Amino acid sequence: VLREEGPLALYAGLLTTLAGVLPFNALKLAAYDRLRTKAATLQDPARNGRPDLDATSVPVPLVAAIGAASGCFAATSCFPIEVVRRRQMAGEFVGLGPLSAVVAIARTEGARALTQGVGLNCVKVAMSNSLGFVFYELAMDVLRVNGRQPPWARSDRFPLPSLLGLKPAVSGE
């Protein structure tokens, strides 16, 4: 590729990739933050509207569901650009920018072509985002960010320490 097309050929499709990745991550993180804030408020109503709401730990199954929902929302919103990116990787619409390629696909194949495969993509995105956000929240707990407690310090929700004969951590450590 380098000899035949030059060094700029290595960056072909970069604009389309960025046009999809940046809004996807912005939407995903914004949706996650909004849903997590609502869940934390329901979890600890005394902190409603206070800036220390991040100190509230949200249960793992709820974090997984929120992560999956926010990922699906973002993936569905950005899926037309994902279709263009994949097609450009396959050699179609090579000279066109992302918006021009979306318009070309909609004109030649119909707008429905821009959403074909969105369901399967949501399954993939939901699984990866739910795991990613679960590990993120667990890391925040383990590192005691904003005064959170790690799961083993919350003996009422995490019985492993008692099973191992360990004492739960005393708050104020």
Side-chain angles (χ1 to χ4, degrees):
V1 172
L2 196 58
R3 282 187 216 146
E4 292 179 19
E5 299 177 35
L8 288 179
L10 296 174
Y11 298 99
L14 180 63
L15 181 64
T16 305
T17 300
L18 291 176
V21 169
L22 295 177
F24 170 80
N25 283 308
L27 288 170
K28 174 184 74 171
L29 293 172
Y32 179 79
D33 185 56
R34 179 77 170 194
L35 292 172
R36 190 207 178 282
T37 299
K38 186 68 175 166
T41 302
L42 294 172
Q43 186 79 14
D44 191 357
R47 294 186 186 213
N48 190 11
R50 291 180 32 206
D52 61 348
L53 200 55
D54 285 339
T56 303
S57 294
V58 178
V60 171
L62 187 55
V63 169
I66 291 170
S70 60
C72 283
F73 166 70
T76 303
S77 301
C78 300
F79 197 71
I81 298 296
E82 179 67 14
V83 169
V84 168
R85 185 186 69 79
R86 289 178 190 219
R87 288 195 177 190
Q88 284 182 334
M89 286 174 46
E92 295 181 68
F93 309 109
V94 175
L96 297 177
L99 188 58
S100 300
V102 166
V103 170
I105 291 171
R107 281 188 182 151
T108 58
E109 301 173 40
R112 190 173 174 96
L114 294 168
T115 60
Q116 288 179 332
V118 73
L120 192 57
N121 190 52
C122 265
V123 171
K124 175 191 77 162
V125 168
M127 288 189 293
S128 65
N129 279 287
S130 61
L131 279 175
F133 281 114
V134 163
F135 286 124
Y136 168 75
E137 290 289 336
L138 286 174
M140 297 279 282
D141 290 346
V142 168
L143 296 173
R144 299 175 187 258
V145 174
N146 294 328
R148 291 187 186 187
Q149 288 186 331
W152 56 84
R154 301 184 302 252
S155 61
D156 59 322
R157 289 196 244 171
F158 195 77
L160 186 60
S162 60
L163 293 174
L164 297 174
L166 302 172
K167 294 179 184 176
V170 179
S171 58
E173 288 182 356

